[in-house]
Amino acid sequence: MLTTVQKEILQVLIDLYSKSNYMPIKGENIAAIMKRNPGTIRNQMQSLRSMGIVKGVPGPRGGYKPTIDAYHALNLSAADEEENVPLYKKDKLVENITVAKIEFTSLPQPGFCEATIKVMGDIKQLDLGDKIRVGPSPVNKLVVNGVIMGRDDMDGILLVDVSDIRSIPHKSVLEIASQDLITLEPDMNIKEAAWILSNNGIDGAPVIENDEIIGILTLIDITKAIANEEKDLKITNLMSKYIITVKQDVMIAEAIQIMNKNKIGRLIVTDANDKPVGILTKTDILNQIAGLKYLTS
């Protein structure tokens, strides 16, 4: 049975071990984070080594490494430490802490949601009442916002009153894009293009010539042309030639970054041969994140 101090040491050791790309960690580094005497850490390490939980590495670049039993002692798996999941307090990154597990404990209760969050590192940096943000997680980009309602220093557990949960599905853009791609031809006039867009209930479409995208036309472009009494122009005079495309295997999270960086609301999805196969809009992404298709079904 590990003591509270030994569990704290293991938590800090595993966290530093992961962040150092799995290099041995010196006892002085652990002592500095825990704000304890290095001699105390060395004494505890002797006990942990005798239990087979910690391995000592000799030499000038030596130190300590956690064994697989160290992860088991803290109810972790080694795989949990391969990615760093950050924790923020008042929008500032909390150093020397990473999140290992999140469990939601009261989802069925209307208007109330709690989560227990297992953290590795110096948990004493966090106090009751602190507003925190956890994530994003490596796969589904899960982000949890809430207020700390309880803290277990011995096991490195936070009890959080959750105010907001967000997640980006781990899917490719092709999985959520509109694949029944509506296209426009360059010799169309505004009236023809407007009829196609309105009849299909869309607010924009790519202009295709010889199987290549040469531009994109939106209802806003058409509205501006009509307002300027330019309704007889060809759509090639109105369309935007600033086209952003993404390959069909790009993940949603990356597509969001591309949209935000370029300040656009839609992306043309292409296959391996750069042929357009679909269109992805911010509405498609929001529907996936918010689960609106389930709410309206």
Side-chain angles (χ1 to χ4, degrees):
M1 189 72 175
L2 297 179
T3 66
T4 301
V5 173
Q6 288 172 336
K7 286 188 175 183
E8 286 185 43
I9 290 173
L10 284 182
Q11 289 171 353
V12 174
L13 172 62
I14 290 174
D15 184 46
L16 292 177
Y17 183 62
S18 173
K19 291 178 178 177
S20 69
N21 199 23
Y22 308 104
M23 298 296 292
I25 304 301
K26 294 187 178 299
E28 292 81 358
N29 295 339
I30 298 173
I33 291 176
M34 295 181 62
K35 296 180 175 60
R36 288 182 175 270
N37 188 290
T40 302
I41 302 301
R42 284 194 294 270
N43 291 336
Q44 294 294 337
M45 284 300 186
Q46 289 180 1
S47 298
L48 293 172
R49 288 177 63 183
S50 66
M51 289 186 283
I53 293 176
V54 167
K55 178 181 179 182
V57 180
R61 295 186 178 181
Y64 301 99
K65 289 184 175 184
T67 67
I68 191 65
D69 288 337
Y71 294 93
H72 293 164
L74 296 178
N75 194 28
L76 297 171
S77 69
D80 291 327
E81 297 302 308
E82 291 180 359
E83 292 283 351
N84 181 47
V85 178
L87 186 149
Y88 297 84
K89 181 171 75 172
K90 297 179 180 178
D91 293 325
K92 291 185 178 180
L93 178 66
V94 180
E95 301 290 344
N96 302 315
I97 277 185
T98 185
V99 176
K101 290 183 179 180
I102 302 175
E103 294 182 355
F104 297 100
T105 58
S106 58
L107 285 178
Q109 299 182 26
F112 186 69
C113 179
E114 281 186 351
T116 57
I117 299 176
K118 171 75 173 178
V119 301
M120 303 297 300
D122 185 10
I123 193 174
K124 293 180 180 178
Q125 300 177 77
L126 304 170
D127 296 313
L128 301 186
D130 282 346
K131 292 182 179 181
I132 63 171
R133 182 173 81 251
V134 174
S137 61
V139 179
N140 282 341
K141 308 301 178 186
L142 178 70
V143 175
V144 176
N145 290 285
V147 177
I148 298 176
M149 305 301 292
R151 191 185 78 185
D152 182 343
D153 293 351
M154 183 171 182
D155 292 322
I157 298 291
L158 297 173
L159 177 63
V160 176
D161 181 9
V162 176
S163 59
D164 180 57
I165 304 172
R166 286 169 286 157
S167 177
I168 301 175
H170 190 59
K171 294 181 178 181
S172 69
V173 293
L174 188 62
E175 291 180 80
I176 69 168
S178 300
Q179 296 184 41
D180 185 15
L181 188 61
I182 306 299
T183 62
L184 303 174
E185 298 176 6
D187 59 350
M188 287 180 176
N189 57 39
I190 293 177
K191 184 177 180 180
E192 291 174 310
W195 186 90
I196 291 175
L197 295 182
S198 62
N199 193 53
N200 288 279
I202 57 177
D203 60 4
V207 182
I208 306 293
E209 185 176 40
N210 297 325
D211 291 330
E212 291 188 8
I213 306 169
I214 62 172
I216 189 164
L217 184 76
T218 68
L219 288 176
I220 293 178
D221 298 325
I222 294 174
T223 302
K224 287 181 178 179
I226 294 174
N228 294 327
E229 299 183 352
E230 297 174 329
K231 57 184 179 181
D232 294 327
L233 290 177
K234 295 291 185 181
I235 63 173
T236 48
N237 299 116
L238 302 174
M239 69 183 187
S240 171
K241 296 181 181 178
Y242 182 60
I243 310 161
I244 304 295
T245 64
V246 292
K247 296 294 186 183
Q248 61 186 21
D249 57 352
V250 167
M251 305 308 290
I252 296 175
E254 185 179 347
I256 293 174
Q257 293 178 343
I258 294 172
M259 284 183 173
N260 289 339
K261 180 180 178 181
N262 292 279
K263 298 180 180 179
I264 55 177
R266 58 182 57 79
L267 295 168
I268 304 300
V269 181
T270 62
D271 62 15
N273 299 315
D274 293 326
K275 181 180 178 181
V277 293
I279 186 167
L280 178 73
T281 68
K282 283 187 175 180
T283 300
D284 297 325
I285 294 173
L286 288 172
N287 285 343
Q288 282 289 316
I289 294 175
L292 293 181
K293 65 178 182 178
Y294 300 107
L295 294 175
T296 57
S297 61

